[in-house]
Amino acid sequence: MAKIEKGLLYTEDHEWLKLDGEYGYVGLSDFAQHQLGDIVYIELPEVDDEFEAGESLGSVESVKTAADINTPVGGVVVEVNEDLDAEPEKVNADPYGAWIVKIKVADSSEADALMSDEEYEKFSEEA
């Protein structure tokens, strides 16, 4: 069973969001990395790129497939996890430690549409 980090918010596409004041960290859930298999490449956005909630901010490629990474909330990218350029497999090893981007959240009320860890646990069990 996939590990679900408490206190985070989740999307139906298996991204997680950790809010920290006006900023948010975005990553892929343990469920997502299990489904993808061994991750070999992550396409990261540029700092200052702006995204609407639900928009693709990059992609992830594994030995099995490729998938978009969608932002749970809209905002501007203020930092990317450049460690993932050289070591994308960090997402497999520690999906909740290997955040992908840090964004300045445009409208924090968009987070209200995301699932709590309890809701996500039920959702991922049915997936």
Side-chain angles (χ1 to χ4, degrees):
M1 179 174 198
K3 180 177 174 239
I4 296 171
E5 189 83 10
K6 299 293 182 199
L8 300 179
L9 298 170
Y10 295 87
T11 70
E12 290 186 1
D13 294 322
H14 306 287
E15 291 94 7
W16 57 260
L17 174 70
K18 177 183 179 182
L19 290 173
D20 182 13
E22 62 185 319
Y23 297 98
Y25 291 87
V26 178
L28 294 175
S29 72
D30 192 42
F31 182 92
Q33 72 85 16
H34 275 296
Q35 295 295 310
L36 289 163
D38 293 336
I39 295 171
V40 294
Y41 177 73
I42 297 178
E43 177 192 335
L44 299 167
E46 299 290 325
V47 170
D48 293 330
D49 283 357
E50 194 167 342
F51 296 96
E52 301 285 323
E55 197 174 5
S56 173
L57 56 77
S59 62
V60 59
E61 293 177 22
S62 71
V63 292
K64 293 197 286 189
T65 189
D68 284 337
I69 303 166
N70 299 318
T71 182
V73 292
V76 176
V77 175
V78 294
E79 191 176 345
V80 296
N81 187 347
E82 293 180 6
D83 291 349
L84 300 179
D85 272 339
E87 299 177 275
E89 66 275 7
K90 283 185 170 190
V91 173
N92 291 119
D94 184 10
Y96 299 110
W99 55 274
I100 295 168
V101 296
K102 178 180 178 182
I103 60 173
K104 184 170 186 190
V105 179
D107 181 359
S108 61
S109 71
E110 289 177 340
D112 297 342
L114 303 175
M115 290 181 272
S116 68
D117 49 67
E118 293 92 0
E119 292 167 325
Y120 181 69
E121 188 168 0
K122 289 180 187 144
F123 175 80
S124 59
E125 284 171 1
E126 296 164 5

